[in-house]
């Protein structure tokens, strides 16, 4: 795609007036010289006998879905204010944080101690890092499914430990739900619904605690969604981000889901400013 030139006012309008991913990606291409617009724009209609890859069929129609395309590039700013291509992974963002067992809401304390003997110890270790790094709450049937789900995979692929309804029957859902993230890949999009394992790609990557690969014997840690503190990290927010004490967990998660990573915006604005200065 040919690199486009634009003024600061035009760039501001392009960002504010963007209504879909193609426009957002085109703005970033203009600002940063990324070749994202051609990559992520909606493909033309294809006949039934044409074969297209899954990626070419994707249509990024909303702001949140657009941020996925943007975040996958993981552009960050270095000390000189230049834009450099550096992939920032989940391990980079949250790999140093202590593991947390989920806060299972529908079991007794005795059952909790049997299932997660180190629950309280881990909870206190998390709170020692930040008051926002505490165990997310989940139901036992969801936790069990995720305990047997490997990094980067969805519980829907499990033959025995799959997502179920309250009566024990297999539930229905999309393959991007009840899914763990990857340690060595960029984080998936942070949405408003990060408290739910049944929403898209919200699962912590976890670690294989038993060393087995078969579904029955493999047990993965952190059978939960990301904590608020972990979401702050993957959103490039500072560890001391000032969250009002009155804000509820759901409100904070919704705000994070509606937000734009500040380092992404910093990178775009600095590169755009440099481009304008060069033209002048």
């Amino acid at each position: 795609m040919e690199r486009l030139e634009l003024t600061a006012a035009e760039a501001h309008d392009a960002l504010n007036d963007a209504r879909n991913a193609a426009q957002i990606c085109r703005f970033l291409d203009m600002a940063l010289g990324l070749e994202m617009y051609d990559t992520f724009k909606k493909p033309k209609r294809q006949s039934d006998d044409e074969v297209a890859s899954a990626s070419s069929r994707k249509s990024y129609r909303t702001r949140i879905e657009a941020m996925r395309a943007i975040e996958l590039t993981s552009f960050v700013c270095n000390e000189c204010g230049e834009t450099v291509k550096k992939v920032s992974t989940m391990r980079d963002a949250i790999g140093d944080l202590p593991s947390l067992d989920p806060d299972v809401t529908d079991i007794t304390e005795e059952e909790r101690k049997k299932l997660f003997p180190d629950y309280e110890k881990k909870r206190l270790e998390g709170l020692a890092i930040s008051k926002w790094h505490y165990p997310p709450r989940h139901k036992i049937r969801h936790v069990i499914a995720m305990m047997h789900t490997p990094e980067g995979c969805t519980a829907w692929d499990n033959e025995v430990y799959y997502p179920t309804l309250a009566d024990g029957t297999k539930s229905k859902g999309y393959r991007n739900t009840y899914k763990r993230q990857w340690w060595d890949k960029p984080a998936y999009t942070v949405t408003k619904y990060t408290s739910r394992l049944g929403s898209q790609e919200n699962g912590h990557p976890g670690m294989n605690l038993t060393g087995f690969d078969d579904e029955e014997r493999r047990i993965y840690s952190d059978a939960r969604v990301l904590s608020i503190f972990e979401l702050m990290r993957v959103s490039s927010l500072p560890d001391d981000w000032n969250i009002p004490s009155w804000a509820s967990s759901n409100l904070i998660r919704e705000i994070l889901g509606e937000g734009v990573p500040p380092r992404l915006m910093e990178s775009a604005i600095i590169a755009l400013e440099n481009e304008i200065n060069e033209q002048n």
Side-chain angles (χ1 to χ4, degrees):
M1 177 179 176
E2 182 181 356
R3 179 87 177 271
L4 301 179
E5 297 182 357
L6 73 167
T7 65
E10 289 171 340
H12 181 272
D13 290 340
L15 185 59
N16 284 336
D17 293 340
R19 290 295 180 267
N20 56 49
Q23 289 171 294
I24 294 176
C25 290
R26 187 175 186 181
F27 164 75
L28 285 180
D29 185 83
M30 291 186 289
L32 302 178
L34 312 180
E35 295 182 355
M36 294 175 58
Y37 179 67
D38 284 340
T39 303
F40 293 106
K41 68 181 180 180
K42 183 178 179 181
K44 66 180 181 180
R45 183 180 297 276
Q46 299 178 348
S47 61
D48 292 339
D49 59 346
E50 287 181 310
V51 178
S53 66
S55 60
S56 69
R57 292 180 183 274
K58 289 183 179 178
S59 175
Y60 295 81
R61 295 169 182 255
T62 67
R63 285 176 181 269
I64 289 179
E65 289 174 322
M67 296 320 299
R68 174 180 308 228
I70 295 166
E71 288 169 355
L72 285 174
T73 65
S74 297
F75 280 81
V76 297
C77 294
N78 63 15
E79 295 180 356
C80 299
E82 299 174 349
T83 302
V84 295
K85 190 173 184 179
K86 178 182 180 301
V87 176
S88 180
T89 67
M90 286 289 287
R91 194 182 304 277
D92 295 328
I94 67 171
D96 63 321
L97 299 179
S99 170
L100 293 176
D101 291 326
D103 180 3
V104 185
T105 60
D106 54 347
I107 61 174
T108 66
E109 190 60 30
E110 183 178 351
E111 290 171 326
R112 184 201 306 278
K113 290 180 180 179
K114 183 178 180 180
L115 187 62
F116 299 116
D118 295 327
Y119 170 83
E120 185 62 18
K121 177 176 177 289
K122 290 182 176 182
R123 186 183 73 86
L124 294 176
E125 289 175 346
L127 292 175
I129 298 295
S130 168
K131 70 176 184 177
W132 303 111
H133 190 47
Y134 60 84
R137 307 182 72 186
H138 298 296
K139 294 187 180 298
I140 185 62
R141 65 179 188 271
H142 300 157
V143 168
I144 295 298
M146 297 307 294
M147 287 176 67
H148 292 268
T149 302
E151 170 194 358
C153 297
T154 172
W156 294 113
D157 288 340
N158 295 341
E159 295 182 0
V160 177
Y161 298 98
Y162 43 73
T164 64
L165 301 174
D167 63 3
T169 58
K170 187 174 183 178
S171 58
K172 297 179 180 180
Y174 295 101
R175 288 182 50 78
N176 63 349
T177 62
Y178 296 97
K179 184 177 180 180
R180 289 184 181 270
Q181 301 208 35
W182 294 97
W183 276 118
D184 295 316
K185 292 183 180 181
Y188 288 110
T189 302
V190 176
T191 71
K192 296 193 300 182
Y193 307 110
T194 56
S195 64
R196 308 174 188 175
L197 286 167
S199 189
Q200 59 191 56
E201 292 128 345
N202 287 335
H204 187 282
M207 299 293 291
N208 191 332
L209 300 177
T210 63
F212 294 106
D213 294 327
D214 60 285
E215 181 182 335
E216 182 63 37
R217 293 184 296 173
R218 68 188 181 212
I219 298 294
Y220 274 73
S221 70
D222 298 273
R224 58 177 178 85
V225 298
L226 300 184
S227 71
I228 289 176
F229 190 70
E230 289 167 335
L231 290 172
M232 289 165 52
R233 284 280 187 90
V234 301
S235 299
S236 74
L237 290 164
D239 287 357
D240 60 353
W241 189 48
N242 187 21
I243 302 176
S245 58
W246 50 261
S248 68
S249 172
N250 286 339
L251 176 62
I252 298 168
R253 287 177 179 275
E254 183 172 346
I255 290 172
L256 289 170
E258 293 283 11
V260 177
R263 292 190 70 185
L264 169 67
M265 293 306 301
E266 179 186 34
S267 180
I269 291 171
I270 290 176
L272 179 59
E273 182 180 30
N274 291 341
E275 179 78 8
I276 294 172
N277 289 338
E278 290 177 5
Q279 293 179 12
N280 294 336

